[in-house]
Amino acid sequence: MFSRKLTRIIKYGFYGGVAVGGCVTALKFHDGDYNSLAIVRITRTACTAVDIGRTYQSLLYSKDWDRSSPEYLEVKKQAHQIGAEKLLELCKANKGVYIKVGQHVGALDYLLPTEYVKTMRVLHKDAPQNTVEELYNVIREDLKKDPKELFDDFEPEPLGTASLAQVHKAKLKDGTEVAVKVQHHFVRKNIKIDLKWMEFIINTMSKVFPDFQMQWLVDETKKNIAKELDFLQEGQNAEKVAELFSNYKWLKVPKIFWDYSTERVLVMEYVYGGQVNDVNYIDTHKINRYDLCKKLGDLYSHMIFITGFVHSDPHPGNILVKKAPGDKDVTVYLLDHGLYAQLSDKFRYHYSKLWLSIIDRNRQEMKVHAEQLGIRNELYGLFACMVTGRPWDSIMKGIGKTKPSSEEKSTFQNELPNILHHITDCLEHVDRQALLVLKTNDLIRSIEYALGTQERMCGFVVMSKCCIQSAYREEINKEKSIFRRQYLNLKFSWTMLVLYLYSVYLNLCDTLIL
């Protein structure tokens, strides 16, 4: 329980900091735009933090609860929902990096209270947008030409609005249809001050509410935001992933028009299709859901375990699917290449071995490889649950033998409030490379649940193959003994044969079901 004195210290600390810091930064960042004034953004942030703090104090911490009672759990849900809605309002008002953090929260389906995840998820498709004239100003500044000299047509309604930019359909002078991504004009000038104040607020709130240790989220945002603000880097990422997976004939990455692109403007080939979680579109176009999920599982397993170059924002708006009447196979378009993780060999080895130990139900190996990834020894089981998105009982029964279900997911999320402080401990100390991978895992799982394919575990076999290949390749490369290398090669071949036979068995079972 919190004392009134502590509450007053926090409250007036916030307002005092805002009064001093806000006035100074207001002079520096003022450009005539009310919402770009630092004092406005900082005051809004501080007031929201205090307001959320009051909500938790009045509902949860003003009395002694039996924390296992249904009444407490219901009140806790209410507090989470109110806090999430206030946070959403703040993100929409301050935009920019706040939207980015909100989207990250909305992606952590298995790692944060469901009230926050569901509430913040709206930011993936409903981020605040700028006017076309504001976009034109950015284009003029960067390309040194009037947009009318570059485009024959520029549709005013955006195709999508994200935290850092929005995308519009347009036509080049030669009639080529393109998608034009333009960075929000206010992002760069506010980014430093926003990050500093977000960090201050989160650090303060984590002291008041020990369950919410979110410094890792600030650290990740700081590290990745510079990459995402450089659209030229995004274009290079797009071309790199297209080359790495050129043998995937069903995968397409939109072409980049470099003559029209800068750090804040990116012009790409326009592609048609439906969002990967649009069940009506998928059924209308007779797209096989299981085949689609198998392809996504294949792609992301190879990214994580084999190439180490991982597209780290696979929310449904960034994956389009298309199948014309005469097509035999679905085409998958991978969009938005601003955020990639480049995983080290060491990380991929221990992450692969962790997955294999989970599949084998080998607790000792789980401990060893979880610890190598930064997890405290006693939390290895929880981390295994976070990685797989499965309860511990299912892991111990064998994740290859027990099928995920909506009921299992509900059980997992219902337990979150009781173990949240342990989850945030894992997130604070885990190898930072794992954070984007965990986010990617959760987004892919959410697509499977949206399509109703989770029980078929479409990508399980190919993921297992990639884990085995990654682990053995690293061990073979490090082995100096010729005899030992031959032995490892033979063992690898035998393991892959067994897995192949298992996949044949699963395909036969699927055929019988269909």
Side-chain angles (χ1 to χ4, degrees):
M1 185 180 293
F2 305 119
S3 69
R4 293 180 181 178
K5 184 177 180 181
L6 178 59
T7 305
R8 289 195 188 100
I9 291 172
I10 294 166
K11 173 182 174 182
Y12 294 116
F14 272 134
Y15 290 130
V18 169
V20 177
C23 290
V24 173
T25 51
L27 297 174
K28 184 176 180 180
F29 289 96
H30 175 59
D31 65 352
D33 179 5
Y34 172 80
N35 276 305
S36 72
L37 282 171
I39 192 169
V40 172
R41 302 168 67 78
I42 293 168
T43 303
R44 187 186 286 138
T45 303
C47 289
T48 300
V50 171
D51 205 11
I52 292 173
R54 283 175 173 169
T55 298
Y56 279 95
Q57 186 180 23
S58 63
L59 291 179
L60 288 181
Y61 302 114
S62 58
K63 60 180 284 190
D64 289 324
W65 290 92
D66 173 3
R67 298 204 170 199
S68 62
S69 68
E71 184 185 4
Y72 172 78
L73 295 177
E74 183 58 36
V75 172
K76 193 169 188 178
K77 285 183 180 179
Q78 292 176 15
H80 283 334
Q81 187 60 47
I82 293 170
E85 289 171 2
K86 292 180 184 299
L87 183 60
L88 178 63
E89 290 176 13
L90 173 66
C91 291
K92 285 187 171 183
N94 277 4
K95 306 178 185 177
V97 70
Y98 287 82
I99 297 285
K100 174 60 63 178
V101 171
Q103 288 176 336
H104 201 133
V105 170
L108 297 175
D109 205 10
Y110 291 81
L111 306 180
L112 292 176
T114 185
E115 294 81 12
Y116 277 89
V117 173
K118 288 182 178 179
T119 301
M120 304 308 286
R121 193 171 284 164
V122 69
L123 293 174
H124 282 302
K125 59 182 179 180
D126 190 26
Q129 66 185 59
N130 290 327
T131 65
V132 171
E133 188 53 41
E134 287 172 322
L135 303 183
Y136 280 178
N137 287 336
V138 174
I139 294 172
R140 290 187 191 101
E141 289 174 11
D142 279 31
L143 290 169
K144 311 304 180 188
K145 286 187 178 181
D146 191 272
K148 292 181 181 178
E149 298 177 50
L150 301 170
F151 307 107
D152 260 346
D153 183 37
F154 194 100
E155 294 189 2
E157 190 65 28
L159 297 169
T161 305
S163 55
L164 306 181
Q166 60 194 63
V167 182
H168 289 251
K169 184 180 178 183
K171 281 186 180 179
L172 299 178
K173 288 296 182 178
D174 64 3
T176 303
E177 290 185 326
V178 292
V180 184
K181 183 175 182 178
V182 184
Q183 195 170 114
H184 298 317
H185 65 92
F186 53 79
V187 170
R188 291 189 179 227
K189 62 190 166 206
N190 289 322
I191 199 76
K192 290 182 180 179
I193 196 71
D194 282 349
L195 283 171
K196 286 179 180 178
W197 275 89
M198 275 184 55
E199 183 169 22
F200 168 72
I201 298 268
I202 285 176
N203 284 341
T204 304
M205 295 298 288
S206 68
K207 292 174 183 176
V208 180
F209 308 109
D211 278 357
F212 290 86
Q213 299 295 324
M214 300 291 282
Q215 180 61 37
W216 60 272
L217 185 53
V218 176
D219 292 342
E220 279 303 290
T221 304
K222 280 182 177 180
K223 184 180 76 174
N224 294 317
I225 199 71
K227 300 175 187 175
E228 294 188 79
L229 287 174
D230 185 355
F231 288 178
L232 294 177
Q233 179 67 51
E234 178 176 342
Q236 291 166 9
N237 288 341
E239 292 190 342
K240 180 175 179 178
V241 80
E243 183 179 352
L244 284 172
F245 293 94
S246 58
N247 60 317
Y248 285 47
K249 301 305 179 185
W250 48 266
L251 178 67
K252 303 294 180 186
V253 177
K255 173 187 173 183
I256 305 298
F257 292 84
W258 290 107
D259 290 342
Y260 300 86
S261 299
T262 69
E263 286 191 356
R264 295 194 298 167
V265 180
L266 188 65
V267 177
M268 305 157 282
E269 170 190 5
Y270 182 81
V271 296
Y272 292 88
Q275 285 194 11
V276 70
N277 65 340
D278 187 339
V279 175
N280 289 333
Y281 179 92
I282 287 171
D283 290 345
T284 300
H285 290 80
K286 295 180 169 50
I287 296 171
N288 187 313
R289 299 189 196 185
Y290 303 107
D291 177 62
L292 174 58
C293 284
K294 188 180 290 185
K295 284 179 165 58
L296 290 178
D298 185 335
L299 175 63
Y300 277 90
S301 291
H302 276 81
M303 283 184 174
I304 292 170
F305 299 107
I306 305 301
T307 69
F309 191 63
V310 186
H311 180 277
S312 299
D313 199 15
H315 70 76
N318 288 340
I319 304 177
L320 300 184
V321 294
K322 175 184 157 187
K323 187 180 180 184
D327 292 344
K328 292 183 179 179
D329 208 358
V330 64
T331 298
V332 177
Y333 293 100
L334 194 59
L335 311 179
D336 195 344
H337 301 273
L339 184 57
Y340 271 77
Q342 182 60 66
L343 308 178
S344 68
D345 291 343
K346 179 182 177 183
F347 173 84
R348 283 187 291 119
Y349 173 73
H350 289 294
Y351 190 65
S352 298
K353 294 289 283 185
L354 175 66
W355 262 105
L356 292 174
S357 64
I358 291 171
I359 293 170
D360 291 340
R361 292 174 284 176
N362 187 326
R363 295 190 184 194
Q364 187 56 41
E365 286 290 300
M366 285 186 220
K367 288 181 183 179
V368 169
H369 297 290
E371 190 171 4
Q372 287 294 323
L373 294 173
I375 301 300
R376 288 195 288 118
N377 190 270
E378 64 271 21
L379 294 179
Y380 79 93
L382 174 59
F383 188 61
C385 295
M386 292 166 64
V387 165
T388 60
R390 308 287 301 276
W392 182 250
D393 286 348
S394 297
I395 291 174
M396 285 295 95
K397 290 175 184 176
I399 59 173
K401 299 176 181 178
T402 58
K403 297 180 179 181
S405 65
S406 298
E407 292 76 16
E408 184 181 271
K409 182 181 179 182
S410 298
T411 300
F412 194 99
Q413 289 179 327
N414 289 338
E415 286 298 317
L416 270 179
N418 302 323
I419 56 174
L420 188 58
H421 59 294
H422 291 309
I423 289 178
T424 56
D425 184 276
C426 287
L427 294 174
E428 282 290 331
H429 296 99
V430 73
D431 186 317
R432 286 293 182 254
Q433 296 174 87
L435 294 173
L436 286 179
V437 174
L438 288 171
K439 174 188 173 186
T440 301
N441 287 346
D442 280 345
L443 286 168
I444 293 297
R445 276 193 289 264
S446 70
I447 291 172
E448 291 179 343
Y449 274 95
L451 298 181
T453 61
Q454 72 277 2
E455 292 190 1
R456 293 279 286 278
M457 299 187 294
C458 302
F460 180 76
V461 172
V462 71
M463 187 207 70
S464 300
K465 288 179 181 177
C466 289
C467 285
I468 293 167
Q469 184 178 341
S470 175
Y472 273 102
R473 184 171 64 181
E474 185 69 10
E475 290 176 4
I476 291 168
N477 288 340
K478 286 185 175 181
E479 184 56 58
K480 295 181 180 179
S481 166
I482 296 176
F483 174 79
R484 178 71 180 166
R485 290 180 71 172
Q486 290 299 325
Y487 169 74
L488 288 172
N489 273 314
L490 184 62
K491 191 176 178 182
F492 168 68
S493 299
W494 171 253
T495 306
M496 294 298 282
L497 175 61
V498 171
L499 194 57
Y500 169 74
L501 294 174
Y502 179 62
S503 68
V504 171
Y505 165 74
L506 290 179
N507 287 334
L508 285 173
C509 291
D510 285 347
T511 302
L512 291 174
I513 292 172
L514 294 173

